[in-house]
Amino acid sequence: MKKILVTGGAGFIGSHLCEALLNQGNEVICLDNYFTGSKQNIVHLLSNPYFELIRHDVTMPFFIEVDEIYNLACPASPVHYQYNPIKTVKTSVMGAINMLGLAKRIKSKILQASTSEVYGDPITHPQPEEYWGNVNPIGIRSCYDEGKRCAETLFFDYHRQNNVRTKVVRIFNTYGPHMHPHDGRVVSNFIMQALHDEDITIYGDGSQTRSFCYCDDLVRGLIAMMDTDDSVIGPINLGNPHEFTIKQLAEMTIELTGSKSKIVYLPAVADDPTQRQPIINKAKEILGWEPTIELREGLQKTIDYFKNLEMR
Ligand code: NAD
Ligand code: UDP
């Protein structure tokens, strides 16, 4: 049995990760300040004696003895991370410093949940890990993009300078149950609008693309990365390589919900990446990982989750 710390464990991805790690027979400590996460996401785990919940903010130092650290604490929805951009930078950068310092002291493995946002609005398409990105350093998305880029820098410097057992994955748009229904991300927005027969709000002309990965696939990838030996440090892309336009996502959501919603086009948001698709050859070769759940199937599961949530 391993002892594992998951920061941001009460969030969307973190809650699924905590559950998967417990199911593998590990002891899991979930650390969260509940900024965007919720106890509701992990309430079903609370009766497990090997699950522990700690309210803490990663911008403050924290000490614990564990074998592995998954560092997920950070708001991920643009609406949430732009709410207090200075805090977003602090969470990414000071959170990384605090968790890396802990990993250095206790000699644990540590995995950083980085993001496809490090590629910014990519000129190279699809995106391999070698691409350095096209990021605006002073725009409204920069607090997140540059915060995550700086966190990657810290992970690689702690590895080079202090031999910390670091691992970095770059996660592409992930969706599924436990997303916050009002977090403003495209999948949750479209489903909530469709379930209420409200207008589906496309920002821009809907030709921008994303590649959507279902949460269960992603969590398998995170664990596979952590389970590699110390020579594997990444960065490794984790995402579903099937690319969709936002208009296609809107149409599929209307079809699967049987909604009467109409699509409306609103002004594009600033610095919105026009395209995003991962190359996942490294994940396939090094981790033996690839996604198995396609958008239609995953979207249906997510719609069912939001329908239940609405009824409750
Ligand atoms: P989320 O907002 O649901 O989860 C983030 C969790 O971190 C929440 O529970 C929140 O309360 C917690 N948190 C935020 N600031 C904190 C702080 N200062 N101290 C302690 N806890 C804090 O988002 P998510 O989609 O589950 O994302 C999890 C991680 O994965 C994030 O680091 C995000 O950047 C990364 N990621 C997610 C996606 C995606 O599509 N979902 C894509 C790329 C990267
Ligand atoms: N988007 C949209 N309507 C919405 C929410 C988002 O058209 O109601 C678009 C957004 O402009 C972006 C894409 O959907 O082009 C994905 O947005 P999201 O916030 O989910 O994640 P991002 O990949 O931009 O971080």
Side-chain angles (χ1 to χ4, degrees):
M1 185 187 268
K2 286 183 287 194
K3 248 174 119 176
I4 303 175
L5 174 66
V6 179
T7 77
F12 156 50
I13 296 175
S15 57
H16 292 290
L17 177 63
C18 287
E19 184 168 348
L21 293 171
L22 284 169
N23 288 342
Q24 287 187 344
N26 300 296
E27 192 173 339
V28 175
I29 297 106
C30 166
L31 180 157
D32 209 293
N33 71 348
Y34 307 117
F35 173 43
T36 54
S38 133
K39 280 192 186 160
Q40 205 56 48
N41 287 338
I42 33 132
V43 72
H44 58 296
L45 307 178
L46 289 174
S47 57
N48 187 325
Y50 297 107
F51 184 68
E52 213 173 316
L53 191 55
I54 297 171
R55 182 191 292 262
H56 182 80
D57 190 312
V58 288
T59 59
M60 309 297 280
F62 181 71
F63 186 76
I64 195 168
E65 293 271 0
V66 289
D67 303 296
E68 296 175 350
I69 303 168
Y70 288 85
N71 189 35
L72 270 63
C74 184
S77 143
V79 175
H80 287 154
Y81 70 64
Q82 288 165 21
Y83 171 76
N84 184 345
I86 296 170
K87 175 72 192 218
T88 301
V89 176
K90 286 184 181 171
T91 294
S92 271
V93 176
M94 293 163 70
I97 291 171
N98 286 328
M99 290 304 131
L100 283 161
L102 176 62
K104 177 183 162 191
R105 186 166 169 189
I106 62 175
K107 299 186 173 18
S108 70
K109 288 186 181 180
I110 179 165
L111 179 146
Q112 168 69 355
S114 190
T115 168
S116 52
E117 291 284 324
V118 300
Y119 301 124
D121 189 3
I123 293 161
T124 297
H125 189 73
Q127 293 80 51
E129 288 85 351
E130 291 73 24
Y131 181 49
W132 288 357
N134 176 36
V135 177
N136 177 358
I138 56 168
I140 56 169
R141 295 176 81 101
S142 312
C143 58
Y144 184 74
D145 300 10
E146 297 290 17
K148 288 284 188 179
R149 284 169 69 95
C150 183
E152 284 201 11
T153 307
L154 286 161
F155 267 69
F156 278 79
D157 282 336
Y158 268 79
H159 178 75
R160 281 187 288 256
Q161 196 174 325
N162 298 125
N163 294 317
V164 177
R165 303 159 69 198
T166 54
K167 296 176 184 296
V168 173
V169 290
R170 293 183 178 150
I171 302 170
F172 284 63
N173 293 66
T174 299
Y175 69 98
H178 298 183
M179 287 183 94
H180 194 292
H182 302 293
D183 73 1
R185 286 189 264 193
V186 71
V187 173
S188 41
N189 254 17
F190 285 2
I191 294 177
M192 292 302 287
Q193 290 164 341
L195 291 179
H196 291 105
D197 290 328
E198 290 166 0
D199 288 345
I200 304 274
T201 53
I202 288 184
Y203 306 148
D205 64 6
S207 65
Q208 70 270 41
T209 68
R210 295 293 187 272
S211 305
F212 297 100
C213 185
Y214 189 66
C215 51
D216 293 357
D217 279 334
L218 194 268
V219 164
R220 266 194 308 109
L222 295 177
I223 295 174
M225 180 64 169
M226 186 64 102
D227 286 348
T228 53
D229 64 49
D230 289 352
S231 67
V232 179
I233 56 173
I236 293 188
N237 286 340
L238 289 181
N240 190 316
H242 291 158
E243 186 183 15
F244 291 84
T245 65
I246 294 305
K247 183 160 182 276
Q248 285 174 320
L249 177 72
E251 288 164 351
M252 198 186 288
T253 308
I254 291 174
E255 182 202 326
L256 293 179
T257 50
S259 172
K260 296 189 191 70
S261 294
K262 299 273 173 296
I263 293 176
V264 296
Y265 293 88
L266 302 180
V269 290
D271 292 340
D272 201 358
T274 49
Q275 50 187 1
R276 209 184 268 157
Q277 182 186 26
I279 292 180
I280 59 163
N281 294 346
K282 283 208 169 114
K284 282 184 186 167
E285 285 158 21
I286 300 170
L287 311 180
W289 176 88
E290 65 183 312
T292 57
I293 299 168
E294 287 310 326
L295 182 58
R296 179 169 282 272
E297 185 188 349
L299 203 53
Q300 188 62 62
K301 288 174 192 271
T302 314
I303 290 167
D304 294 343
Y305 167 78
F306 279 114
K307 266 189 196 160
N308 271 328
L309 204 66
E310 288 285 281
M311 284 196 308
R312 272 194 269 138

